[in-house]
Amino acid sequence: MTLVTDNGEFPGPEVRCANLDGVLLTRSHPLPDGTRVRLRLPQAGDREGLTALHDRLGAPLDDVRMTRILRFDPRACVSVCATVLNGLSEVLVAYGHVDRDGRASLVVADEKVAPGVSELVRAALAERTESRHVA
């Protein structure tokens, strides 16, 4: 299981998550072990999945942090969730966000359930951040 921050710490309370509207969203992507992962925007209904993800990783999520993850401000950062199909339901296995300027980023992933998902989330975030810097 993985909890990754590219800048070495959780972003402060002033960072808020935003939409990711790139081509990678709502598509299914294969991981190296064959597991298929769907990337999409965080949604209000992800509260239970985010809590379960953090509990599996041993990093409980408080209500303030949860609210910051589920509120979208496209001017501040890009955000994405990754899910896998488990029977008839989706299991949230990762989420990540990056500031629009690319300086602060965070990826929280359960690599035990979906090996390689953190790289996929990072690639989606990088693609979206780079596309915003094109003139």
Side-chain angles (χ1 to χ4, degrees):
M1 294 185 240
T2 302
L3 176 64
V4 178
T5 61
D6 294 337
N7 64 348
E9 62 186 55
F10 279 92
E14 70 283 349
V15 176
R16 300 172 71 130
C17 298
N19 295 358
L20 175 69
D21 55 0
V23 295
L24 292 177
L25 282 186
T26 69
R27 287 191 37 214
S28 176
H29 303 275
L31 296 177
D33 73 346
T35 302
R36 301 215 45 97
V37 175
R38 185 170 73 100
L39 297 178
R40 61 172 175 72
L41 296 174
Q43 305 165 358
D46 287 332
R47 183 173 292 276
E48 185 177 316
L50 286 164
T51 299
L53 171 64
H54 278 80
D55 287 349
R56 288 193 310 269
L57 296 173
L61 190 62
D62 63 37
D63 287 338
V64 172
R65 183 87 182 123
M66 177 74 74
T67 300
R68 289 190 189 338
I69 290 170
L70 296 176
R71 289 202 178 157
F72 294 55
D73 182 356
R75 297 164 296 180
C77 71
V78 175
S79 184
V80 65
C81 283
T83 63
V84 296
L85 195 58
N86 183 12
L88 298 176
S89 62
E90 283 188 325
V91 175
L92 199 139
V93 294
Y95 82 88
H97 70 253
V98 62
D99 288 354
R100 286 285 182 192
D101 60 12
R103 287 188 293 156
S105 63
L106 170 73
V107 173
V108 177
D110 187 344
E111 289 283 332
K112 188 174 182 181
V113 173
V117 71
S118 56
E119 268 313 301
L120 180 64
V121 170
R122 271 195 209 97
L125 293 171
E127 175 185 289
R128 199 68 211 137
T129 303
E130 289 171 11
S131 72
R132 296 288 185 193
H133 292 282
V134 176

